[in-house]
Amino acid sequence: MHLYRSHNCGELTSSNVGNTVKLSGWVDRKRDHGGLLFIDLRDHFGVIQIVVDNDNKFFKLCEDTRLESVITVSGKVVKRSDDLINKKLSTGEIEVSIENYIIESSSEILPMPVSGEHDLGEEVRLRNRFLDLRRPSMQKNMLLRSKIISSIRNKMISAGFHEFQTPILTASSPEGARDFLVPSRLNPGKFYALPQAPQQFKQLIMASGFDRYFQIAPCFRDEDARADRSPGEFYQLDMEMAFATQDDVFNTIEPVLSELFSEFSDWKITSNPFPKITFKEAMLKYGTDKPDLRNPLEICDVTEAFLHEKVTFKAFKEQINKGAVVRAVAAFNVVDRPRSFFDKLNAWAQEQGQPGLGYILLSDGEAKGPIGKFLSKESIEIIKKKTETKDGDAIFFICNKVKEAESFAGKARMKIAEDMDIIEKNVFKFCWTVDFPMYELDESTNNIIFSHNPFSMPQGGMEALENKDPLDILAWQYDIICNGVELSSGAIRNHRTDIMEKAFSIAGYTSEDLKSRFGALYNAFKYGAPPHGGIAPGIDRIVMLLANEPNIREVIMFPMNQQAQDLLMDAPSKIENNQLKELSLKVNSIDKLKK
RNA sequence: GGGGAUGUAGCUCAGUUUGGUUAGAGCGCCGGCCUGUCACGCCGGAGGCCGCGGGUUCGAGUCCCGUCAUUCCCGCCA
């Protein structure tokens, strides 16, 4: 018989009754009855009950074995009598009566519970991640992650893509997020950067004549964390296609995502093709470029209704005269809600730093509510028509400068729907946000800057760059959204050096800037580059959605905490002086350093 | 960098509103009892810098100031 096991802890059934088996695993739980002792033995595959009588020579040893110790037992598989069957366990019809017992590795007193599902503090979980990961829910998440990645690889390969690795030690890129830097020993004073994404490499792969590239790519960005943003590093399904239009990219990635989501979830999924919403429309109707379409409420502009001469609502009128707009969120069938429903929303708005959340209630053909009395018949008609509301509905108003109004209306839309409990459940709602603007105005400097990726192809190409107002130019740039979570940005790239120079010059860069900052790409594109485009959905976020976890750390094996510290490995850590010396580095104000 | 929440036993938390005897519970741990449990049960015990520092007070887990840590959000994330 094998040194450690003949079976795993999850596979034995009543068909094995009478067999002598050997099992290894962790002591999940013990129930000591003095004359009789039960051990729940757990491994990756399941849990099985081991039973020992007190006339067994191993009884005392079993009693003394601490939880989470690793043991090897052998014994006979015994059928449990009908009244002793445990239906919660797949192995619940049987148990193993031990004939031999070996402690492979005994456990000290645990710093946190392992068996059972407990709410535990993040810190203790991360510091003892190897224990945390033993818990069935974490085993399940990690397995899901593995299967998702494997499935993605299969789908991409069968769609004609090839996986290539790109460098981890590369050059710092001037655009985008803060880089993680790595000092070079052989080149004193110079630094590598970890890639924020393999963006330039994948475009170089296209310029190198490969047709369809993908990679489960590690990406590194030194930015602050969020619940859905792991600090430091994350993974993307990075992909790029030669001779591709925007629709080609959509038609390629949509089936991958929808098949993936239906493979790993029972929830309803948006059918292909996913709806496409322009950036402009998204900002108006949803107040964000990542609309959560599970929420049926929409925003619309009703500025016009408040301009009417008979409207006496000065608070809005004065702001409108200064250039503000009024956005409305219509909430259907809320007339019977208690006053507290509206008061709570108003209080919430004030917590958000707003003056409040004004509303009207349509009832008996009239507009009631705090703002109702200021409105004229005509203006109410305009509002009803624009918001498509009727008696029984309420309309909430937000008046502010366009950007602020959009953003707060977006928040209010979600908050109102949450309070109404009308956000659709158990469903994945996908959409594309398309037609992002190529440029935007930097409000602090009044300069025109790239609004997203400077390598996106402007819609209309050179002609648009030469003739249009830069702020009106759209880019072949798109995001894919699921339930309000941005899974990825992508773009059709600018593969023409002449259009690139023009595009950069509009944002205030000279052709020398372009060459020095993005020399490799610029150079490569001088010698014949295919039109190309791609996208890079975030793997961690996909797994998070499919695992239905609210926090991305639940689907990452060894995540860092919010301060970008690995509590298990104690990273980042101090290094020896001779290491610094070898790298020609000196650390300033060392007394300020923590620990 | 800014804002909110939290910080009490190894773990999860109560106690803080209204300052007042020796700071409690469950799990875990140690000891005892228990032959059918499966979150086993029962009895007993150990375990506390109430995050840290300062202040107010006769007296501070509780009030005030500061600070640190964890977390969520804003900024940031082409």
Side-chain angles (χ1 to χ4, degrees):
Chain A
M1 198 177 264
H2 187 268
L3 184 55
Y4 300 116
R5 59 186 175 189
S6 61
H7 298 78
N8 68 51
C9 297
E11 68 178 323
L12 292 174
T13 63
S14 44
S15 67
N16 299 97
V17 168
N19 295 0
T20 295
V21 297
K22 193 186 263 189
L23 301 169
S24 286
W26 285 261
V27 177
D28 190 63
R29 223 183 277 270
K30 282 190 308 185
R31 289 172 295 280
D32 187 351
H33 291 239
L36 179 72
L37 173 66
F38 300 102
I39 293 175
D40 286 340
L41 187 66
R42 183 196 75 236
D43 66 7
H44 176 68
F45 304 96
V47 175
I48 185 163
Q49 177 164 280
I50 309 297
V51 61
V52 204
D53 279 331
N54 67 353
D55 54 5
N56 190 304
K57 65 174 171 176
F58 297 107
F59 187 81
K60 181 76 174 74
L61 193 55
C62 288
E63 275 195 314
D64 290 345
T65 308
R66 279 215 193 87
L67 296 183
E68 293 306 311
S69 296
V70 172
I71 59 173
T72 299
V73 302
S74 42
K76 274 227 161 49
V77 179
V78 182
K79 180 118 181 82
R80 298 199 200 181
S81 66
D82 287 351
D83 53 327
L84 296 176
I85 287 172
N86 183 348
K87 285 182 179 145
K88 289 187 223 161
L89 239 49
S90 67
T91 57
E93 290 186 10
I94 50 154
E95 60 195 6
V96 173
S97 175
I98 78 162
E99 287 158 12
N100 199 20
Y101 185 87
I102 297 164
I103 297 178
E104 303 287 358
S105 168
S106 65
S107 172
E108 293 188 9
I109 295 167
L110 295 166
M112 56 175 267
V114 173
S115 176
E117 289 297 319
H118 300 87
D119 280 332
L120 296 169
E122 289 265 354
E123 192 176 357
V124 74
R125 291 180 58 199
L126 293 181
R127 203 175 288 285
N128 303 284
R129 191 60 160 178
F130 48 91
L131 294 178
D132 192 34
L133 288 166
R134 287 181 195 172
R135 299 156 65 212
S137 61
M138 292 304 285
Q139 296 260 316
K140 196 175 141 214
N141 283 357
M142 293 308 138
L143 237 51
L144 175 67
R145 183 184 175 106
S146 169
K147 286 176 186 163
I148 286 172
I149 288 176
S150 161
S151 173
I152 287 174
R153 281 213 164 91
N154 290 337
K155 290 185 206 312
M156 294 305 287
I157 289 165
S158 50
F161 287 80
H162 296 282
E163 184 167 15
F164 301 114
Q165 284 71 49
T166 51
I168 300 296
L169 292 174
T170 181
S172 176
S173 143
E175 297 289 323
R178 204 175 287 118
D179 283 319
F180 279 102
L181 298 172
V182 180
S184 163
R185 174 180 59 86
L186 293 175
N187 303 275
K190 293 189 174 175
F191 294 81
Y192 302 96
L194 307 183
Q196 295 178 23
Q199 182 64 37
Q200 295 193 59
F201 287 113
K202 71 173 171 179
Q203 294 193 243
L204 288 166
I205 289 171
M206 294 293 104
S208 306
F210 295 94
D211 199 70
R212 290 185 160 200
Y213 145 91
F214 87 100
Q215 180 181 194
I216 308 295
C219 304
F220 306 89
R221 295 178 192 173
D222 188 3
E223 297 294 351
D224 290 347
R226 288 289 183 276
D228 65 350
R229 203 160 87 205
S230 187
E233 53 193 78
F234 60 97
Y235 284 80
Q236 290 181 337
L237 163 56
D238 193 41
M239 66 88 103
E240 198 76 4
M241 311 159 63
F243 305 107
T245 64
Q246 178 169 293
D247 281 339
D248 293 331
V249 176
F250 289 5
N251 293 336
T252 305
I253 203 71
E254 268 188 27
V256 172
L257 290 176
S258 57
E259 283 170 29
L260 191 70
F261 274 70
S262 47
E263 186 178 343
F264 292 103
S265 172
D266 299 332
W267 292 7
K268 219 165 56 176
I269 296 157
T270 309
S271 53
N272 305 41
F274 298 157
K276 296 172 191 66
I277 302 168
T278 67
F279 173 81
K280 209 174 156 187
E281 187 188 356
M283 295 310 289
L284 174 66
K285 282 166 74 171
Y286 308 104
T288 171
D289 58 1
K290 27 181 194 277
D292 189 342
L293 296 183
R294 291 174 304 172
N295 178 347
L297 303 184
E298 290 187 0
I299 303 162
C300 64
D301 188 285
V302 294
T303 314
E304 172 198 346
F306 284 85
L307 283 173
H308 210 271
E309 56 180 321
K310 284 182 193 156
V311 172
T312 56
F313 196 45
K314 279 194 190 149
F316 279 18
K317 272 200 158 170
E318 281 171 11
Q319 286 205 67
I320 295 168
N321 289 335
K322 289 184 206 155
V325 296
V326 182
R327 294 288 155 88
V329 184
F332 301 99
N333 300 320
V334 291
V335 76
D336 294 331
R337 299 260 170 182
R339 176 66 189 256
S340 63
F341 170 79
F342 298 93
D343 289 346
K344 273 184 197 159
L345 284 168
N346 194 58
W348 167 81
Q350 286 170 346
E351 274 167 32
Q352 302 286 311
Q354 302 292 321
L357 190 57
Y359 61 92
I360 58 173
L361 252 175
L362 299 177
S363 162
D364 307 326
E366 285 178 56
K368 298 176 177 168
I371 294 185
K373 58 175 179 272
F374 299 109
L375 300 179
S376 67
K377 269 224 161 72
E378 296 88 336
S379 62
I380 292 167
E381 281 313 308
I382 294 173
I383 291 166
K384 281 171 82 170
K385 199 171 167 196
K386 284 219 165 188
T387 56
E388 295 175 13
T389 46
K390 54 182 185 329
D391 266 12
D393 300 340
I395 301 125
F396 295 86
F397 300 102
I398 293 102
C399 179
N400 211 326
K401 280 179 267 172
V402 175
K403 263 195 167 173
E404 284 79 6
E406 277 172 350
S407 153
F408 185 65
K411 282 185 194 166
R413 167 181 176 267
M414 289 309 294
K415 175 69 181 166
I416 294 164
E418 279 163 19
D419 286 6
M420 292 173 70
D421 196 24
I422 52 167
I423 294 181
E424 210 176 325
K425 294 186 178 77
N426 303 338
V427 61
F428 289 115
K429 291 263 192 176
F430 284 91
C431 66
W432 293 99
T433 308
V434 298
D435 295 347
F436 278 85
M438 184 81 190
Y439 301 101
E440 64 189 28
L441 210 55
D442 181 334
E443 286 182 358
S444 58
T445 61
N446 243 13
N447 289 335
I448 286 176
I449 55 173
F450 287 113
S451 74
H452 289 85
N453 185 336
F455 301 111
S456 300
M457 182 65 98
Q459 294 188 21
M462 187 62 109
E463 205 260 319
L465 292 180
E466 281 173 342
N467 299 318
K468 288 181 104 167
D469 178 346
L471 296 176
D472 289 338
I473 297 171
L474 301 175
W476 291 113
Q477 161 101 33
Y478 37 83
D479 282 1
I480 186 155
I481 314 299
C482 179
N483 291 358
V485 175
E486 179 188 319
L487 287 184
S488 174
S489 279
I492 299 301
R493 323 292 175 187
N494 187 343
H495 66 285
R496 288 254 307 261
T497 52
D498 55 338
I499 300 179
M500 223 180 249
E501 291 201 31
K502 179 70 188 165
F504 273 74
S505 77
I506 289 174
Y509 299 97
T510 63
S511 132
E512 280 61 43
D513 291 334
L514 173 60
K515 284 171 203 166
S516 72
R517 284 160 180 253
F518 305 105
L521 262 193
Y522 182 86
N523 202 33
F525 288 175
K526 285 196 301 192
Y527 303 104
H532 60 284
I535 194 164
I539 301 275
D540 311 85
R541 283 190 185 168
I542 289 174
V543 181
M544 181 175 141
L545 284 170
L546 285 169
N548 196 21
E549 291 283 3
N551 190 299
I552 205 157
R553 289 185 294 275
E554 302 300 325
V555 298
I556 297 173
M557 196 71 104
F558 299 107
M560 297 201 280
N561 70 5
Q562 194 165 47
Q563 276 62 247
Q565 297 160 337
D566 180 337
L567 298 175
L568 183 60
M569 301 301 286
D570 192 27
S573 58
K574 274 189 177 174
I575 57 169
E576 299 294 330
N577 273 329
N578 59 359
Q579 289 178 290
L580 282 173
K581 205 172 166 190
E582 205 167 40
L583 295 166
S584 314
L585 290 180
K586 259 186 194 160
V587 177
N588 280 329
S589 53
I590 211 153
D591 51 329
K592 279 189 182 171
L593 295 179
K594 291 171 190 170
K595 288 178 192 169

